Every structure is written in C-alpha cells, then in structure tokens.
Amino acid sequence: MPRFSAGVTTGYRSIENEFLRLEVNGGGAVMMTDKSSGLAYENIDFFEDSGDVGDEYNYSYPEKDGWFSSSQFVPRVTVAVTGPLRASLKVEHRMVAPKEAAQDSKSRSTEIAEMLVETTFSLSPSARRVDIKTTVHNVCKDHRLRALFSTGIDTVESYADTPFAVVHRTHQTYDTTQFPFEHPALVAPMQRFVTIADACKGLTLIVKGLPEYELKLDKRGELALTLLRCVGKLSGRDLITRPGGAAGWWNETPDAQCLGTHTFEYSVVPHKTLDENVWASILEQVEEFTVPMMSVKR
C-alpha cells in the first residue's frame, strides 16, 4: 500500500503547512501567521450582526440599533480533517441576536434567537491561502450578518476588481446632512477580490458570489464582508439612509428575509506590501480559487 508524507499538520486547535499556520485561541479568535515572512493577522473571520430595516435597494439601520459579535460567545473548535492532502479546522459559533425588528422599525425586538454559524478553515500542501466555508442557519429577520477580518493593516485604501479593471478606492466618512436624498454608502462593490496593504503587509480576500465589502474607518485595517442582508420590502418610505423617500413601488418581499441555511465560500491570502510580483501572485490565487481545476473522466 503506498504511503504519502503529509504536507499539512494538525495540532489541538491548529493547522499548518509549509507557508501558513492557523490557530484558534481560547476565546475563539483565529490567528493566521505567514511563516515565510513572520507576519501575523490577529483575528480573521469572526462575525458581526446588526439591524437592517432597509429595503432591497438600500441598507438602513434602525434608530436604536443593537450590535452582536461572535466574539461574545465561546465557540466549539474541532479538527475536522487531518490530512495528508488537506487539514481543516471547524469553528462553531452559536450567536444570540434579536429575532426581528420592532413593529415600528425604530429598534430591534427584545425577543432573542440563536443562530448557528459553522465555519471550516482548510489548508492544502504548499497552499499560500486559507480557504473558508461558512454555513449560516438563519432564524432572524431584519438584520445584516457580516464576516470580519481584523488584519492590523494601517490603511484607508483598498483595491477591488470589477468586470474591466481593479479599482483603487480611498474610504472616507461623510457629512450626511449634505445629502438630502440618499446618504453615500460606506460599503463598496467587488467582483472576485479586495486587497488592502500598508508599508509592512497586505491581505487579499477572495470571494465566490459575495459582492459587497467595507473597509472600516473606526477600526483601522478591519475588513467586513457582507454575507446576508435580510429585509422584508422592495422599497421603503422612511429609511434613515435614504431620506429622499421611496426608490420604487411598495411591495413586501418575505423571501428576502433569507431564512434558512446558506453556505458561503471565500479565501484569504496574506502577502507583503504591494508590488508587481505580489500582484501577479494575487491574481494567480484568485483564478485558482474562483475557477478551480475540473476533473473529467475520459
């Protein structure tokens, strides 16, 4: 029987290969270390839930919002796959959040529900990225669920791909009193990836079908990836973020509450600050993740 040497190894709450190490601490924070450079990323892929009383056009927060983080709850961590061709850590969060918005949509309800969020982090031999699969069992309405990546990167700039180019953005806050019809969005679009970097290190987030991100300004270097926006109407009339009124006709959209089970796939690539060689490597990783090799029986 042939024997294969493992290109990946596992520990009690860790996995690693030649280039990367992933470890979950006692509080549930997932630290990623780039072994080739020694660069560390303090907490990748935890979750944030907040109210969303907007519509299918615009996100809008309630006047009295309530924010919940998976960091408030200690997860269950297991080693799901031990090799030799793949190593995986499974992190299970049971997040508590309001069940829906209050009847007047000005706050979140006092009734609480539990959402199960299961995340699997995987490494293959010689991989320079961590592949992530998150399954959300959504039982809540009128909310936004996002995956957060705390990178320690000191920047307000991002690079996101579009169908025809990679767009460089400088993120900023706005005086919303100067926008009487619609407030500028803090989120931004992407097609397959977003990259941030400073003079020391960088990170690229690659996604499959998740087109919205935010580079937070109040928490420098924290990326937010929108997983779910759960709303119940096509066009609202009294949105804080769209004071100009309706964007279209009124119609209830109960299926847009996204109740049920949803699975998302994305990947993170640590790297040094940006140069021509780093960009070439990033684009190669994007292609490998979003257009994987297909096996064909002949």
Side-chain angles (χ1 to χ4, degrees), residues 2-64:
R3 294 182 176 273
F4 301 93
S5 60
V8 290
T9 58
T10 60
Y12 169 55
R13 299 163 72 100
S14 66
I15 57 175
E16 63 182 297
N17 65 7
E18 180 183 356
F19 300 108
L20 300 172
R21 175 179 171 82
L22 222 67
E23 184 174 9
V24 185
N25 68 20
V30 181
M31 175 178 285
M32 177 175 63
T33 303
D34 184 345
K35 295 165 65 176
S36 60
S37 65
L39 298 172
Y41 301 78
E42 58 195 61
N43 194 3
I44 62 166
D45 203 45
F46 58 109
F47 302 94
E48 167 196 271
D49 187 82
S50 61
D52 190 343
V53 292
D55 56 25
E56 292 198 43
Y57 292 101
N58 293 76
Y59 159 77
S60 190
Y61 51 89
E63 287 182 15
K64 187 179 180 182

Side-chain angles (χ1 to χ4, degrees), residues 47-50 68 73 92-98 108 112-118 135-141 143-145 228 230:
F47 302 94
E48 167 196 271
D49 187 82
S50 61
F68 296 81
F73 314 97
E92 298 175 67
H93 291 282
R94 292 187 178 274
M95 289 182 64
V96 170
R108 305 187 76 179
I112 297 299
E114 183 181 79
M115 283 191 301
L116 175 60
V117 182
E118 301 171 291
T135 298
V136 179
H137 304 276
N138 181 43
V139 295
C140 300
K141 299 178 181 180
H143 70 120
R144 179 175 69 175
L145 180 68
L228 288 174
C230 306

Side-chain angles (χ1 to χ4, degrees), residues 242-261:
R242 198 178 65 227
W249 62 87
W250 169 267
N251 194 37
E252 293 186 357
T253 57
D255 287 349
Q257 294 287 7
C258 302
L259 297 174
T261 300

Side-chain angles (χ1 to χ4, degrees), residues 65-108:
D65 204 351
W67 294 70
F68 296 81
S69 170
S70 61
S71 302
Q72 298 171 262
F73 314 97
V74 178
R76 179 173 181 262
V77 181
T78 55
V79 177
V81 181
T82 59
L85 298 178
R86 199 167 184 82
S88 298
L89 275 178
K90 187 175 183 179
V91 181
E92 298 175 67
H93 291 282
R94 292 187 178 274
M95 289 182 64
V96 170
K99 190 173 182 179
E100 57 192 349
Q103 191 169 2
D104 62 3
S105 297
K106 295 184 182 297
S107 63
R108 305 187 76 179

Side-chain angles (χ1 to χ4, degrees), residues 144-190:
R144 179 175 69 175
L145 180 68
R146 303 198 289 182
L148 304 183
F149 304 83
S150 184
T151 67
I153 296 171
D154 186 13
T155 186
V156 294
E157 299 179 341
S158 70
Y159 299 83
D161 76 325
T162 69
F164 301 107
V166 175
V167 175
H168 174 216
R169 295 188 176 101
T170 300
H171 299 258
Q172 64 182 75
T173 57
Y174 298 89
D175 178 3
T176 56
T177 62
Q178 302 302 308
F179 298 88
F181 299 106
E182 184 174 342
H183 296 173
L186 297 180
V187 296
M190 62 175 162

Side-chain angles (χ1 to χ4, degrees), residues 217-232:
L217 299 173
D218 58 338
K219 297 179 181 178
R220 189 65 66 92
E222 187 169 281
L223 271 175
L225 172 66
T226 302
L227 300 182
L228 288 174
R229 275 198 65 228
C230 306
V231 296

